[in-house]
Amino acid sequence: MSRLQALCSGLPLRPLPENRGRRAGVPHAPVRTPGLSPAEEQLALRNALRYFPPDTQELLAPEFAQELRLYGHIYMYRFCPDIEMKAYPVEQYPCRTRAAAAIMHMIMNNLDPAVAQFPQELVTYGGNGQVFSNWAQFWLTMSYLSQMTEEQTLVMYSGHPLGLFPSSPGAPRLVITNGMVIPNYSSRMEYEKLFAMGVTMYGQMTAGSYCYIGPQGIVHGTVLTVLNAGRRYLGVQDLAGKVFVTSGLGGMSGAQAKAAVIVGCIGVIAEVDGAALMKRHKQGWLMEVTDSLDCCIERLREARKRKEALSLGYHGNVVDLWERLVRELDTTGELLVDLGSDQTSCHNPFNGGYYPVQLGFAEAQSLMASDPAAFKALVQESLRRHVSAINRLAQENFFFWDYGNAFLLEAQRAGADVGKTGANRTEFRYPSYVQHIMGDIFSQGFGPFRWVCTSGDPQDLVVTDQLATSVLEEAIAGGVNPAVEQQYVDNIRWIREASQHRLVVGSQARILYSDQKGRVAIAVAFNQAIARGKIKAPVVLSRDHHDVSGTDSPFRETSNICDGSAFCADMAVQNFVGGAFRGATWVALHNGGGVGWGEVINGGFGLVLDGTQEAEQKAKMMLSWDVSNGVARRCWSGNPKAYEIICQTMQEDRGLVVTLPHEVADERVLQRALRL
């Protein structure tokens, strides 16, 4: 029996695998402190043992209980597979459907140690973005997928495979929900307990829907964000000699270093975890490292003078770096930074997402587990110092934005000075990058469209790059408005740069930002190339949930919604449901994402292109809905760019009928009415 066949044969019980515990030399998730009562501990243990027959429970029970008390969760380390975890070529999986094999390819990529942040804890990125809650769920899911036919759908409840249920060939093969907790109980404290008991899970955006492609996804988003920040804040197209300071080199945040070099600026990225920093350095994503602030400032000055494209990693706390930049400004009058943001996992600030400046990395991890209240107090003090330094620099020609990681939200909760006079609940002194930088892009229907070549052959990726570039070039040649053309040009540049910068980590994947027309045209081109044999195996289409219509997130994706509906989640839920009956191979609905548990609802999808006519029709219908749903919502919120795009789409698609909103022509009508 091959290794993959064994992996798909169900839980290994006869005999049980050896319990090797946590492996040395592998990064591990921080210890959780869920604060379970004795009754809740017993329930967590009972829930874990449900996966195993009675004759194994006497051995496993004390083992699982120890994991719960040592790490705050039952991961079932004994069942971590003894196989090289990676995205194997799709034809190697023992499956009855191509869709199931493609899903397996994506799952194993999410757990590849080169991709995953904490692979033994099944965390892909963001500190707590789980693929599954425990290893028993992984084994059962792989077994179900190997058995699945085209007339069955696998149902996933927060990491738990509920089973295969009869459906139809036109239905999704997989339906995933993560963290669907009743709203009044969707607090951070409740989450820690529910996760520890094994009944819910935080899937981030693309971890729990099996669509993560490594940091490349956020490299592209950061490239576009920094390019557009330069245009908006600095009034420049060329960022040579400009300095971008930020923090985080772990999962998604590891992309910032590579993005800085691609746009041609100087990126200085602070990271407290030496292992994460060196991982990016070894991968070639980070050009230089230092643990000396003096050396960091000296190298920064030199690079500015020479206008080098540089990524410099500072091994230390970003608060120390910001405060040093303030000291340089106050003592020399020299402003050494132009643009700034933050990409720590601040949505999870008290469990390893943000480290306080007052402690070293190891000391902070120890306090986090031994005295969570003291750790929280230090984090909040650190956030206040962090913001204070940024506020001083912002008095000069320096521009800071929130990069959607809940940094300003958590800083506000910590009592930091981030308030803005006359602001609504989603606004702070500094804008969300959606509000100022990316909001217009979303309103025009542009967002992160991605694909994975399941053959695992780099040549297939080359072919898809060429096809995508050609599609965008043809669209420009056919005539588009200047704003759309700018986005197409940026993405053509990205595709050409991406192939030169070793961006593939794990699966043979690519991402670009495109609108509805571009996504559909690219999908059709791929599907036809598969049919002709130019691409050797199916291609999986997906996107980051961070997109036009996939996410309701009042502090990020929908922070520029101005009709009062920013806290409503109809759009994401409709996206999930609509994708299911328009041809998606799988759909996913999540509570939580980049800004944290209880702060956002995400709807996502996976779509397998296999060269058939049916796949092409599904792509046309599903991808059109996936974009137009969000553009129509933004149109109704009063966004003029979205209004223009939806009007154009209605002219081109006779099946689309939307009643357009009317503006209040005379504000005095409102004033007179309210005086009554």
Side-chain angles (χ1 to χ4, degrees):
M1 184 183 291
S2 75
R3 303 298 298 280
L4 287 176
Q5 284 177 315
L7 202 62
C8 297
S9 59
L11 274 166
L13 300 171
R14 308 283 188 269
L16 289 170
E18 178 188 359
N19 182 19
R20 293 171 294 172
R22 283 195 173 197
R23 294 174 188 167
V26 177
H28 290 288
V31 172
R32 293 178 175 274
T33 52
L36 299 183
S37 68
E40 289 167 336
E41 285 187 334
Q42 190 174 95
L43 187 55
L45 189 56
R46 183 186 298 275
N47 289 343
L49 291 172
R50 288 185 297 187
Y51 292 103
F52 301 93
D55 64 322
T56 65
Q57 292 177 5
E58 189 170 351
L59 173 66
L60 295 176
E63 186 178 298
F64 291 168
Q66 184 181 40
E67 285 186 17
L68 182 62
R69 287 173 174 162
L70 284 178
Y71 309 122
H73 189 74
I74 300 171
Y75 296 105
M76 306 181 184
Y77 289 113
R78 176 189 288 269
F79 296 94
C80 184
D82 184 20
I83 186 175
E84 184 183 3
M85 194 70 73
K86 66 177 185 178
Y88 289 88
V90 72
E91 71 273 4
Q92 294 184 21
Y93 295 98
C95 292
R96 301 168 72 181
T97 74
R98 285 172 291 193
I103 294 166
M104 286 184 175
H105 181 91
M106 302 291 281
I107 288 172
M108 293 191 72
N109 184 67
N110 271 23
L111 293 169
D112 181 342
V115 174
Q117 187 177 11
F118 305 125
Q120 268 206 290
E121 288 76 40
L122 302 111
V123 172
T124 300
Y125 66 94
N128 59 350
Q130 304 283 147
V131 186
F132 299 100
S133 179
N134 58 55
W135 283 106
Q137 294 174 350
F138 167 82
W139 284 94
L140 289 174
T141 299
M142 296 295 278
S143 176
Y144 281 133
L145 288 169
S146 70
Q147 301 171 51
M148 176 191 287
T149 71
E150 290 288 344
E151 295 185 341
Q152 291 174 310
T153 293
L154 175 59
V155 177
M156 302 293 299
Y157 278 15
S158 292
H160 169 69
L162 194 66
L164 291 169
F165 293 84
S167 59
S168 68
R173 297 280 67 80
L174 175 66
V175 176
I176 302 168
T177 52
N178 283 311
M180 290 291 107
V181 173
I182 303 237
N184 277 355
Y185 304 91
S186 190
S187 69
R188 190 174 283 154
M189 183 181 298
E190 286 287 347
Y191 164 70
E192 290 296 338
K193 288 195 171 219
L194 293 170
F195 179 64
M197 289 190 290
V199 294
T200 198
M201 188 181 83
Y202 186 78
Q204 268 281 358
M205 290 187 174
T206 50
S209 57
Y210 321 144
C211 292
Y212 191 58
I213 61 167
Q216 179 187 169
I218 195 65
V219 173
H220 182 40
T222 307
V223 164
L224 291 184
T225 301
V226 177
L227 278 176
N228 285 292
R231 292 165 183 158
R232 181 181 180 101
Y233 299 133
L234 306 178
V236 299
Q237 294 284 345
D238 183 1
L239 288 168
K242 303 300 182 183
V243 177
F244 172 50
V245 171
T246 181
S247 55
L249 284 166
M252 287 174 54
S253 60
Q256 299 180 106
K258 180 64 79 173
V261 174
I262 290 174
V263 302
C265 73
I266 300 147
V268 183
I269 307 97
E271 172 57 61
V272 294
D273 183 353
L277 181 139
M278 293 313 297
K279 179 178 180 179
R280 297 305 175 204
H281 187 47
K282 288 174 182 174
Q283 286 176 339
W285 289 49
L286 185 64
M287 293 166 65
E288 299 178 19
V289 298
T290 180
D291 59 4
S292 163
L293 270 177
D294 289 339
C295 292
C296 183
I297 296 300
E298 182 182 350
R299 184 70 181 95
L300 170 55
R301 279 197 168 98
E302 180 183 81
R304 280 183 89 218
K305 185 175 180 180
R306 296 180 180 177
K307 294 191 174 182
E308 292 180 59
L310 172 69
S311 55
L312 175 61
Y314 167 59
H315 183 202
N317 197 291
V318 73
V319 179
D320 284 327
L321 176 57
W322 284 120
E323 290 180 341
R324 176 61 180 269
L325 290 166
V326 169
R327 196 168 83 205
E328 293 295 323
L329 174 63
D330 289 341
T331 57
T332 70
E334 188 177 12
L335 179 67
L336 293 174
V337 57
D338 302 284
L339 300 170
S341 191
D342 185 85
Q343 266 284 51
T344 56
S345 295
C346 211
H347 69 278
N348 181 34
F350 312 124
N351 198 39
Y354 181 97
Y355 282 83
V357 66
Q358 306 92 327
L359 303 176
F361 183 59
E363 188 182 4
Q365 287 192 310
S366 176
L367 185 66
M368 188 194 311
S370 64
D371 193 343
F375 182 81
K376 178 178 179 179
L378 290 178
V379 164
Q380 293 191 319
E381 179 189 334
S382 186
L383 282 166
R384 292 192 292 272
R385 284 175 57 179
H386 196 150
V387 168
S388 178
I390 288 166
N391 287 348
R392 170 66 188 97
L393 294 166
Q395 294 172 13
E396 311 299 326
N397 193 34
F398 161 73
F399 301 90
F400 183 88
W401 67 86
D402 185 294
Y403 207 175
N405 62 336
F407 172 73
L408 291 179
L409 181 63
E410 290 299 334
Q412 180 188 60
R413 290 168 176 166
D417 182 13
V418 294
K420 176 183 175 182
T421 304
N424 63 39
R425 284 195 291 167
T426 65
E427 290 183 304
F428 302 98
R429 172 181 293 201
Y430 305 104
S432 157
Y433 75 119
V434 173
Q435 289 168 323
H436 270 198
I437 303 171
M438 304 297 277
D440 282 351
I441 294 174
F442 286 168
S443 297
Q444 293 172 66
F446 281 85
F449 181 58
R450 58 174 69 177
W451 61 88
V452 174
C453 299
T454 64
S455 65
D457 187 343
Q459 185 55 37
D460 273 359
L461 188 60
V462 171
V463 173
T464 60
D465 281 351
Q466 293 168 346
L467 288 170
T469 302
S470 297
V471 165
L472 298 184
E473 288 173 339
E474 288 170 12
I476 292 172
V480 292
N481 73 47
V484 170
E485 182 175 351
Q486 178 68 72
Q487 295 308 315
Y488 280 167
V489 168
D490 283 349
N491 280 281
I492 291 168
R493 169 184 171 180
W494 156 258
I495 288 286
R496 288 174 177 156
E497 292 275 0
S499 62
Q500 301 171 27
H501 281 272
R502 295 167 55 201
L503 291 175
V504 169
V505 177
S507 59
Q508 294 295 315
R510 187 69 76 224
I511 184 172
L512 55 75
Y513 271 49
S514 189
D515 57 359
Q516 177 179 326
K517 187 180 296 184
R519 296 185 209 200
V520 171
I522 290 169
V524 169
F526 288 175
N527 197 61
Q528 292 175 354
I530 295 166
R532 294 194 303 267
K534 289 184 66 178
I535 299 173
K536 302 176 192 66
V539 170
V540 173
L541 302 182
S542 183
R543 56 162 165 73
D544 194 325
H545 296 204
H546 164 64
D547 194 13
V548 181
S549 73
T551 299
D552 283 298
S553 178
F555 296 99
R556 197 162 85 175
E557 285 82 0
T558 46
S559 60
N560 64 334
I561 294 291
C562 55
D563 67 348
S565 69
F567 291 89
C568 300
D570 301 78
M571 182 178 71
V573 175
Q574 289 283 359
N575 180 272
F576 162 81
V577 175
F581 63 74
R582 287 182 175 87
T585 309
W586 71 94
V587 289
L589 187 67
H590 301 239
N591 170 6
V595 291
W597 177 265
E599 305 286 357
V600 52
I601 299 294
N602 296 301
F605 77 91
L607 177 63
V608 177
L609 298 177
D610 59 8
T612 62
Q613 187 61 37
E614 291 81 4
E616 182 173 319
Q617 289 304 115
K618 287 179 178 180
K620 288 177 178 177
M621 186 174 293
M622 210 234 90
L623 294 175
S624 295
W625 161 251
D626 197 54
V627 176
S628 61
N629 172 35
V631 174
R633 192 264 179 98
R634 285 170 165 78
C635 168
W636 268 91
S637 77
N639 188 297
K641 286 189 169 61
Y643 186 96
E644 178 185 339
I645 292 296
I646 201 70
C647 288
Q648 179 185 343
T649 306
M650 286 170 65
Q651 291 173 357
E652 296 172 353
D653 186 346
R654 294 181 182 178
L656 176 63
V657 179
V658 176
T659 302
L660 298 172
H662 298 288
E663 290 187 37
V664 175
D666 187 345
E667 290 291 323
R668 291 174 297 179
V669 172
L670 300 179
Q671 295 164 10
R672 284 196 298 269
L674 291 170
R675 280 200 297 271
L676 292 175

